[in-house]
Amino acid sequence: MTIPSCDRLYIDGAWVDPIKPLPAIPVISPVTEQQIGSVVQGSAADIDAAILAARRAFPAFSATAPADRVALLRRILALMEERFESLAQAICLEMGSAIGFARASQVPFGIAHVRAAIDVLDDYAFIRQQGSTAILREAIGVCGLITPWNWPLYQVTAKVAPAIAAGCAVILKPSELSPFSAHLFAQIMHDAGTPSGVFNLVTGTGAEVGATLAAHPGIDMISITGSTRAGVLVAQAAAPTVKRVTQELGGKSPNILLDDADFERVVPLGVASAFRNVGQSCSAPTRMLVPAERLAQIEALAATAAAALVVDDPALDGTDLGPVANRNQFDKVQDMMGIGMAEGARLVCGGPGRPDGQGKGFFVKPTIFSDVRPAMRIAQEEIFGPVLCLIPYADEADAVRIANDTIYGLGAHVQSRDLDRARAVAAQIRAGQVHINHPAWDAMAPFGGYKQSGNGREYGVFGLEEYLETKAIVGYFP
């Protein structure tokens, strides 16, 4: 496909040149390791201009009828569906997502967030009676949205769609490492007839654009998806202006296989879940907790599942896993594999280096470690690559203890033939979202973390309400 142009910013309803010319940021192909494009670098001056436009637009847009915002979201939805393949190809190019995965998950899940926002807004009560008091929910204001490179469209729509549904104006700062899909989305917002100033796109670095957004007094709310380190920096920058901060950050999610689970079914599904998107998901269940007496059986099943995965050019239809998205991530994954081996974890399959036949590109071998102890770094730190830890446990109580032995609390999985037993275990896990027996994805289920996995929730009605303030008018009803 034609490389999307990323040489301008989108501010106040138009594509514009940056106020302060800065060197463009190269976009590197994770397949060839060569530059395939570049993205314009915005500055604090561009953020000022975008916020000025958003603040002008907010009063009128926040006062629109919900039906008008539904109509806008329906136009956005229709254009995303119409340009589905262009979005999938852009994600394949910019971050190396296998084209089959981009078509099956990256783009459909992004579209699903827009559809969910429509469904929520269709019947959401922005005012309700509580005795003689009226409880009003009102748009919070101008929102800064910072999104990552690993789910570049999905995370954009998870923030933009509910913000628009709420009546907010937004400034989007996507990752400079995967900017193509964000620019295509900005064009969709324009072509859908979004009022000028309601949606703005300013690309650039986190140190310049992200930090300015977080600290700016003209921003009423900041929402970031990224690493825990980045989330901490954003919260610190936002603190002096006491703006709302929502964070969806790192994770080290457990997958507890109880001793009555159907291992033939759930182990391959667990491997697939851990390695989905080449392991580049904050909620990936990369700690598989297994009954100690069944470890050998589970190792064999996991190794067979990993061996079946095709690691190849992401543009090929038969590819399961493309490369990881960038050089820094490739180097980190390789380093963590070496640390795991040095710590004494036993390598079941994979390991350092590229897969056979891959002489270049950021390709990583699907890797499984066994006999992993909970205190090992590979069991505690987010690796963000196709690396799975098999951790044996003694009994159910031990499994729950290990599952909760982490600074994170984003996601978790529980597998059991006994649904009541699985529910009881799920209730004990300190995480924002728990999956029982590999259910279908639910765009309405609230998503967010405990502990250092963040604050706030996204998706469905919970996502909408993050962008709303609560006002009580006492005596409203006589």
Side-chain angles (χ1 to χ4, degrees), residues 3-4 6-7 22-30 32-42 93-95 149 174-180 183 203-205 325-328 362:
I3 303 291
C6 300
D7 59 353
L22 294 169
I25 301 169
V27 179
I28 305 300
S29 165
T32 67
E33 303 183 48
Q34 301 299 310
Q35 183 173 343
I36 54 172
S38 61
V39 59
V40 65
Q41 187 171 180
L93 277 172
E94 67 192 358
M95 62 157 294
W149 49 260
S175 172
E176 67 276 19
L177 300 176
S178 52
F180 299 156
H183 276 72
T203 49
T205 65
N326 53 70
R327 165 61 69 179
N328 285 344
F362 306 135

Side-chain angles (χ1 to χ4, degrees), residues 133-374:
T133 297
I135 307 297
L136 278 64
R137 304 305 304 273
E138 300 178 338
I140 193 169
V142 174
C143 304
L145 311 178
I146 301 174
T147 58
W149 49 260
N150 58 320
W151 288 86
L153 179 67
Y154 170 96
Q155 292 290 354
V156 164
T157 58
K159 298 184 190 300
V160 172
I164 294 296
C168 296
V170 305
I171 296 93
L172 171 66
K173 184 258 181 253
S175 172
E176 67 276 19
L177 300 176
S178 52
F180 299 156
S181 56
H183 276 72
L184 293 178
F185 180 77
Q187 189 63 49
I188 285 172
M189 294 295 288
H190 177 84
D191 294 346
T194 305
S196 296
V198 168
F199 172 86
N200 305 273
L201 173 77
V202 180
T203 49
T205 65
E208 175 75 10
V209 174
T212 301
L213 268 180
H216 204 291
I219 292 288
D220 300 297
M221 170 184 170
I222 196 89
S223 176
I224 177 173
T225 297
S227 68
T228 297
R229 181 192 65 81
V232 168
L233 292 174
V234 163
Q236 289 172 335
T241 50
V242 199
K243 58 173 60 72
R244 182 178 299 175
V245 178
T246 67
Q247 307 154 305
E248 194 264 279
L249 308 175
K252 194 70 178 178
S253 299
N255 182 7
I256 299 177
L257 278 56
L258 296 177
D259 55 16
D260 67 340
D262 179 356
F263 296 126
E264 298 281 346
R265 172 182 179 270
V266 301
V267 172
L269 288 173
V271 171
S273 296
F275 292 169
R276 184 181 67 155
N277 204 32
V278 203
Q280 298 168 128
S281 296
C282 44
S283 60
T286 52
R287 293 187 295 145
M288 186 178 286
L289 280 51
V290 307
E293 68 274 11
R294 307 294 290 275
L295 182 59
Q297 176 193 3
I298 292 167
E299 285 177 358
L301 290 169
T304 298
L309 295 170
V310 177
V311 183
D312 206 345
D313 184 341
L316 300 176
D317 285 336
T319 296
D320 296 309
L321 305 180
V324 295
N326 53 70
R327 165 61 69 179
N328 285 344
Q329 200 53 41
F330 177 81
D331 290 343
K332 178 184 177 183
V333 172
Q334 298 298 317
D335 288 346
M336 290 302 294
M337 288 181 184
I339 287 167
M341 295 167 69
E343 288 179 318
R346 180 163 49 84
L347 198 61
V348 174
C349 62
R354 294 183 177 86
D356 292 341
Q358 302 293 346
K360 62 181 177 181
F362 306 135
F363 294 93
V364 175
K365 297 174 187 175
T367 297
I368 299 173
F369 285 103
S370 189
D371 288 326
V372 177
R373 298 187 303 278

Side-chain angles (χ1 to χ4, degrees), residues 83-98:
R83 300 175 191 180
F84 184 103
E85 185 61 19
S86 294
L87 291 165
Q89 293 288 344
I91 293 168
C92 179
L93 277 172
E94 67 192 358
M95 62 157 294
S97 174

Side-chain angles (χ1 to χ4, degrees), residues 391-434:
I391 304 175
Y393 66 81
D395 55 26
E396 188 175 295
D398 191 39
V400 171
R401 180 190 62 77
I402 294 169
N404 288 330
D405 181 19
T406 171
I407 61 171
Y408 299 113
L410 187 58
H413 293 240
V414 180
Q415 320 300 331
S416 175
R417 285 187 171 97
D418 183 337
L419 186 55
D420 287 337
R421 187 181 178 198
R423 289 167 174 162
V425 170
Q428 298 174 68
I429 297 174
R430 301 283 294 170
Q433 192 175 91
V434 184

